[in-house]
Amino acid sequence: AQRVTQPEKLLSVFKGAPVELKCNYSYSGSPELFWYVQYSRQRLQLLLRHISRESIKGFTADLNKGETSFHLKKPFAQEEDSAMYYCALRAGGFKTIFGAGTRLFVKA
Amino acid sequence: DAGVIQSPRHEVTEMGQEVTLRCKLISGHNSLFWYRQTMMRGLELLIYFNNNVPIDDSGMPEDRFSAKMPNASFSTLKIQPSEPRDSAVYFCASSLSDAPGEQYFGPGTRLTVT
């Protein structure tokens, strides 16, 4: 079955601390993975895609097929990073499956 | 481009009433997705279209829910009759056919059924 698991509902870190939001997926084929972010009172928006291997707002994510993971990382968290983060899996065709989301709270 | 547009932004209705949610896609996009978001179940995919054709409606919870794309830029999600457990935020998102994982979301419609 195709599934995306984000084990943490809430992650709280201090400003300047490293942050890692975990994402594991279940899919037998070749996955496409994404991170979406929803800031307070804003719409859900794409943050980054694994195929781009890009860094957006200091965030990076590496696809680890052996561990079926796509964790989102940032070395130094900022207060403006506080938001809801969703990991998403495109499991072939048009269907994209979203994880339950992790709320990141960055404390001053 | 104003992005994906949804209306109304908020809807409060009584149980048993018909509810229609509307979505306008980004110009040039040809895939359309409807999601429902609740605290308990997170973000659930209800139905998606490509080139106005419904591809998969297996996420639609009951026959009370229906969705249409009367043209390439507009979609509706209808609930008839509505029930209190339908209360949620409903999002639509659009994308290009060749990049369905890169979706552009609307602001959502917060539906409350009393």
Side-chain angles (χ1 to χ4, degrees), chain A residues 45-57:
Chain A
Q45 57 188 283
L46 180 64
L47 180 63
L48 53 79
R49 307 158 287 180
H50 93 266
I51 57 174
S52 299
R53 302 185 65 80
E54 56 202 340
S55 173
I56 303 292
K57 298 184 179 183

Side-chain angles (χ1 to χ4, degrees), chain A residues 9 32 34 36 38 42-46 49 51-52 84 86 90 92-96 98-100, chain B residues 2-4 31 33 35 37 43 45 48 50 55-56 58 91 97-98 100-103 105-107:
Chain A
K9 285 190 174 181
E32 278 187 61
F34 306 83
Y36 281 78
Q38 188 174 26
Q42 294 187 28
R43 61 186 69 192
L44 198 62
Q45 57 188 283
L46 180 64
R49 307 158 287 180
I51 57 174
S52 299
M84 193 76 176
Y86 292 91
R90 180 193 168 196
F94 293 92
K95 190 169 186 175
T96 300
F98 284 79
Chain B
V4 174
S31 294
F33 306 82
Y35 293 90
Q37 184 181 47
L43 197 62
L45 177 63
Y48 57 95
N50 188 55
I55 304 299
D56 187 344
S58 60
F91 291 100
S97 287
D98 58 357
E102 299 178 26
Q103 298 176 17
F105 280 76

